[in-house]
Amino acid sequence: VMGRDKGQLKRENKRRKIARQLQQADDVQYWKTHEADPTVRYIPRVPREHRGQMAPAGPALAHPAAHLLEEYATFGCPANTGKNWTLDELEAAIAVGPHVSAMVPEAMQQLQEEVNNKITNGQVKVYLWDDLKKKMPRKLKISRIAMIPHKSKPYRAILDLSFPIQFKDGTIAPVNDTTTKTAPRGSMDQMGQTLQRLIYAYATADEDKPIFAAKEDIKDGFWRLVAKEG
């Protein structure tokens, strides 16, 4: 994918997403009246061993997805990213280096601060390549890092999982292309449509009833989950 093609590809993806959304049922009920449930019981939090920083406890154990969250907390999130890379392929990825955006002095300083913070929080481990390659995880993949301008801070660190790596007479397929997609397609089609759906929901709400809304965010949400070892 060339830079000059990205605009056209984004427009094509948007048209496909809208087409899939139009195929979905339009009988969604946006509002419900809250009613007290006297049968709800308090479930105390019991500390237990788990991987990462996410472990369902207390009322979360009554959630329909509790069993799935329990599995993630016990074994990690499963991910199939394709065939294992060889040592030569990994070193070719390292030779690519970071994205040019991550070479800006201010971006480098912020990235170092973020890494130190995540080390303190137990969210990452830092290895020297010479040490890591002596005992590599079988499924190890390496993607270049980029620092993207962000609205709430100067930069936001991302991994460029869509970048193909030149290797010998060909290329190493990017992680995005070799990863098995397991998320329901319909749920992914809703991304980027929150504001429009909120406007529609408010516009069609009963004018005589009060509306209560809440927005919750988890800091570094994805960093609190770890991938399954293997």
Side-chain angles (χ1 to χ4, degrees):
V1 177
M2 304 297 291
R4 63 175 179 271
D5 301 324
K6 287 187 176 180
Q8 178 63 26
L9 292 174
K10 285 183 178 180
R11 289 190 290 271
E12 292 177 0
N13 287 335
K14 184 176 182 179
R15 284 195 291 268
R16 283 195 291 266
K17 181 187 290 187
I18 292 175
R20 288 194 295 263
Q21 289 175 341
L22 291 175
Q23 294 174 1
Q24 297 174 3
D26 59 356
D27 57 349
V28 178
Q29 298 297 322
Y30 289 97
W31 304 104
K32 67 178 182 179
T33 302
H34 174 73
E35 296 179 0
D37 185 355
T39 64
V40 173
R41 62 186 181 86
Y42 173 71
I43 305 176
R45 299 181 65 89
V46 179
R48 67 177 181 83
E49 291 187 5
H50 61 276
R51 301 190 63 214
Q53 295 180 318
M54 186 284 299
L61 293 174
H63 192 277
H67 69 287
L68 182 62
L69 298 178
E70 283 271 14
E71 181 179 334
Y72 289 173
T74 304
F75 304 105
C77 302
N80 183 355
T81 58
K83 74 176 187 69
N84 297 349
W85 286 10
T86 65
L87 177 60
D88 287 343
E89 289 174 325
L90 290 167
E91 291 191 325
I94 290 176
V96 170
H99 187 269
V100 63
S101 62
M103 300 302 292
V104 177
E106 294 80 5
M108 294 172 66
Q109 180 180 352
Q110 180 179 313
L111 179 59
Q112 184 64 58
E113 293 172 355
E114 288 187 14
V115 169
N116 290 337
N117 184 54
K118 286 179 170 54
I119 291 174
T120 301
N121 293 335
Q123 294 172 330
V124 301
K125 294 181 180 179
V126 176
Y127 293 92
L128 295 175
W129 172 240
D130 286 340
D131 295 332
L132 182 60
K133 67 182 179 181
K134 295 176 183 177
K135 189 177 180 182
M136 298 186 303
R138 292 184 301 110
K139 295 296 183 181
L140 178 64
K141 302 287 194 301
I142 294 177
S143 299
R144 65 178 186 171
I145 197 164
M147 298 296 283
I148 308 302
H150 195 262
K151 60 183 179 181
S152 62
K153 55 186 177 181
Y155 297 95
R156 175 190 177 205
I158 65 169
L159 287 178
D160 188 358
L161 302 178
S162 63
F163 183 73
I165 300 166
Q166 298 297 321
F167 182 68
K168 295 182 178 179
D169 296 330
T171 60
I172 304 172
V175 175
N176 270 355
D177 290 354
T178 60
T179 298
T180 301
K181 311 298 190 295
T182 59
R185 182 71 259 182
S187 63
M188 300 303 292
D189 291 339
Q190 308 305 320
M191 293 186 67
Q193 304 297 314
T194 302
L195 180 59
Q196 294 93 321
R197 295 168 79 93
L198 281 173
I199 293 173
Y200 178 82
Y202 275 75
T204 57
D206 191 328
E207 295 182 359
D208 297 328
K209 294 183 179 179
I211 296 175
F212 297 92
K215 176 182 180 296
E216 297 182 7
D217 191 15
I218 300 175
K219 184 179 184 299
D220 296 331
F222 286 110
W223 285 97
R224 298 178 183 276
L225 298 170
V226 296
K228 188 175 181 180
E229 293 182 356

